């Protein structure tokens, strides 16, 4: 079955001395786990795919980077506390309020 939405969560961990000092390695796994839990609890496992990724090219100082497909949206500084909103955004058709 083809999913309605695909949420890609950056979980890329960087070395402490890396000049980009991204927070994705710390925030990404928690957000990924929260999204997976919500998808399972909501019974939408086949309709939404949640995937952990490497670097998406945006390295936030807090939170992590998230890409929503097919909406072609890229969220920066996303955190575990926003998991429900991110899932809702992923399932909301383009142009809907």
């Amino acid at each position: 079955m083809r999913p309605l939405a695909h949420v890609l969560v950056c979980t890329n961990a960087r070395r402490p001395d890396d000049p980009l000092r991204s927070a994705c390695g710390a925030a990404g796994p928690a957000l990924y786990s929260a999204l997976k839990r919500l998808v399972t609890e909501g019974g939408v496992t086949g309709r939404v795919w949640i995937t952990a990724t490497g670097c998406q090219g945006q390295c936030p100082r807090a939170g992590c980077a998230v890409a929503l497909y097919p909406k072609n949206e890229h969220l920066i500084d996303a955190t575990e506390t926003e998991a429900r909103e991110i899932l809702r955004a992923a399932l909301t058709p383009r142009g809907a309020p």
Side-chain angles (χ1 to χ4, degrees):
M1 176 190 303
R2 185 173 169 197
L4 297 175
H6 195 169
V7 181
L8 302 117
V9 181
C10 181
T11 59
N12 190 48
R14 295 189 181 274
R15 294 182 327 271
D17 63 338
D18 191 305
L20 294 177
R21 296 186 316 259
S22 171
C24 291
L31 176 57
Y32 170 80
S33 294
L35 287 166
K36 291 290 271 189
R37 185 181 68 253
L38 288 171
V39 165
T40 301
E41 289 172 359
V44 292
T45 305
R47 295 177 46 207
V48 183
W49 289 353
I50 309 297
T51 303
T53 72
C55 184
Q56 295 181 12
Q58 300 289 328
C59 299
R61 299 282 188 226
C64 66
V66 176
L68 303 179
Y69 178 83
K71 296 181 85 170
N72 198 29
E73 291 181 15
H74 201 218
L75 311 174
I76 307 298
D77 301 327
T79 64
E80 178 183 6
T81 61
E82 298 169 294
R84 195 169 304 279
E85 295 168 43
I86 292 168
L87 184 57
R88 188 175 301 119
L91 287 170
T92 303
R94 273 186 164 173

